[in-house]
Amino acid sequence: MMLLGKKSKRSKEKDFIDQSAVSGSTLFSDNRVVYLNYTPVSYPFTIVYSCETETSNTAFIPQWYFLGGYYLSVEKSVLNVTFPNNLGFKKKEFYFSGFNIKKTADTDTRLSYEAINILAQKAEDLSPSSRDLYPRIMMGLEKFHLEGVDGTATTWEAFGKWYGDKILTGTTELPEETKTKIKALVGNEKDPVEKAKIVYDYVQKKSRYVNIAIGIGGWKPMLATDVDRLGYGDCKALSNYTKALLQAVDVPSYNTILYGDRYKSNIQSDFVSMQGNHMILAVPNGDNYTFLECTSQDDPFGYQGTFTDDRDVLVVKPEGGVIVRTKIYDDKGNTQTDKGSYSIDENGNLSGHIFITSEGSQYSSKSRTEILQPTEKEAHYKEYWSNINNLKLGKITFTNDKQKIRFTEDIEVSATNYGVISANKMIFPVDVFNQSKSNVKRIRNRKNPFQIQRGYLDTDEIEVNLPAGFSIEFLPSNFELKGKFGEYKTEIIKKEDNKLTYKRSMFLNKGKYSNKEYDEYRLFMEQVSKNDNAKIILTRN
């Protein structure tokens, strides 16, 4: 540690903590981390360190990046790489523009970069991932070595052929008893997709996910016979086991490598190398593929949700690898449809009943409420309807239609004093069930672009029963808003003296936008939020 150029502290090896580098969901792994738990007593300070790793594996050459987080400046970071000129060394630079990075050597056997005085970056809401903003270099070899196996990465076809022939071969053998069982389950079914549904259901009921990462275990699956016997495996093992079962009933399928995350990350299709952190299974379906998430015991067949959707992935076919795009959920297909009613009595108390139906990517987040404990469920809805003070939940019924991939919440609610009474007037927001909670922060002189990962379409139709003995003094006007970010519309229809129908639709476009458009987006969402909170005023007769 250095303060104003003077050494203030030197840490020894015994000061560092050595522990496993994986979470509790990992069954076993040889990955470990050594770290120093340092509490600074003054700022600024500089950390000076060097580290050395020795390995015979050249399949994964670490990326060079020095902005791994926010609020951290870099005084100096140096990359020096030496390599033989016959291994096909390659590199790809990302996002160097605007940063002080100098290339000091680039020859057939040597590569050097130097980054100097890189200022700390400030986090900004809705920014893309730091990997899509800040400098980094990917490196790889066309001829590499992985745990005793030589590999080739000249083209995706060659890489996929190597992976299939050298790593996956011999991993899909199954006991005859299991083959007989799965054939009996499939019966006389001829359609490959219907067969795959039966197999997928079998895997979901039989197995569970456990992470395994020992040696080549990061890429080589457990044997299908072991998964069959033990009933667990990681993403590679469960995908490979499902593949083995499908083979037994003559349905082809392909191991598929990708980056699994709610933030969409692509396999870099123009840089053939070891990439990805997750595996799923691709089942041919006409000219397309149905992708199976084999680690989930709950996902509907072919549903990708928000962990593997809309990104470039590597499908490993017998003839070699091919880059394809996973399922894209259309913005207007990511729907939430609300239908219901509520009543306000003469004391301002609310009682209501709502049906919330979610599809597309919205199914992914809503269907999780089905497995919540009662206390967690209550906390979830009190947060979701934080606009309703004194909320009390009544009967809650869920319907999870996995064939149509549609999740419905049937909920009874009540609340005291929802309508605020003052003298002879009562005031309350008309929109009870779906007020926008998008609090878009004001960011002066924003630097980063911003990104809406997934669009959606919410539509509401709610019957409102007003209390007897009151008349309407003020009713919010119908409102409509259109722009590049989406469309918003509300309408209030007066049915009878004490009955209204409230209609609302909110459509948001996914997309990447420049920093200069951020204020426009913030104002768009502010208008939505303001109108969602529009209030009706009643006068006591």
Side-chain angles (χ1 to χ4, degrees), residues 188-204:
N188 296 321
E189 181 60 61
K190 302 297 182 187
D191 184 86
V193 174
E194 293 303 316
K195 287 183 182 181
K197 286 181 180 179
I198 295 169
V199 170
Y200 186 65
D201 180 67
Y202 175 81
V203 172
Q204 284 188 307

Side-chain angles (χ1 to χ4, degrees), residues 17 65-66 73 78 177 180 195 204 216 263 291 306 326 389 392 406 408 417-418 429 510:
I17 300 168
Y65 63 94
F66 39 83
S73 294
V78 176
E177 181 184 354
T180 302
K195 287 183 182 181
Q204 284 188 307
I216 205 171
Y263 181 83
F291 293 98
T306 55
T326 55
N389 292 327
K392 186 176 180 181
R406 179 183 296 159
T408 302
N417 304 320
Y418 180 76
K510 73 177 176 186

Side-chain angles (χ1 to χ4, degrees), residues 172-306:
T172 54
E173 297 298 322
L174 285 173
E176 289 301 321
E177 181 184 354
T178 300
K179 292 181 183 178
T180 302
K181 183 190 298 184
I182 204 69
K183 287 176 182 177
L185 278 174
V186 168
N188 296 321
E189 181 60 61
K190 302 297 182 187
D191 184 86
V193 174
E194 293 303 316
K195 287 183 182 181
K197 286 181 180 179
I198 295 169
V199 170
Y200 186 65
D201 180 67
Y202 175 81
V203 172
Q204 284 188 307
K205 289 174 179 175
K206 178 181 172 61
S207 63
R208 68 189 188 278
Y209 171 79
V210 177
N211 186 26
I212 299 166
I214 287 282
I216 205 171
W219 280 77
K220 188 177 182 68
M222 283 172 58
L223 298 177
T225 51
D226 290 337
V227 180
D228 187 66
R229 176 173 54 88
L230 298 169
Y232 63 71
D234 62 8
C235 61
K236 302 176 301 301
L238 295 176
S239 296
N240 212 52
Y241 178 57
T242 307
K243 176 183 177 180
L245 293 169
L246 289 170
Q247 281 177 353
V249 292
D250 302 319
V251 176
S253 61
Y254 312 120
N255 305 72
T256 301
I257 300 163
L258 72 158
Y259 287 105
D261 195 87
R262 281 183 57 81
Y263 181 83
K264 301 172 188 175
S265 294
N266 295 317
I267 295 286
Q268 291 294 324
S269 59
D270 60 348
F271 193 82
V272 181
S273 64
M274 284 279 199
Q275 296 182 48
N277 64 0
H278 188 49
M279 182 177 284
I280 57 178
L281 198 64
V283 178
N285 187 358
D287 294 332
N288 298 309
Y289 296 100
T290 297
F291 293 98
L292 303 183
E293 176 54 79
C294 300
T295 64
S296 173
Q297 294 176 300
D298 305 303
D299 282 354
F301 176 85
Y303 182 67
Q304 291 196 258
T306 55

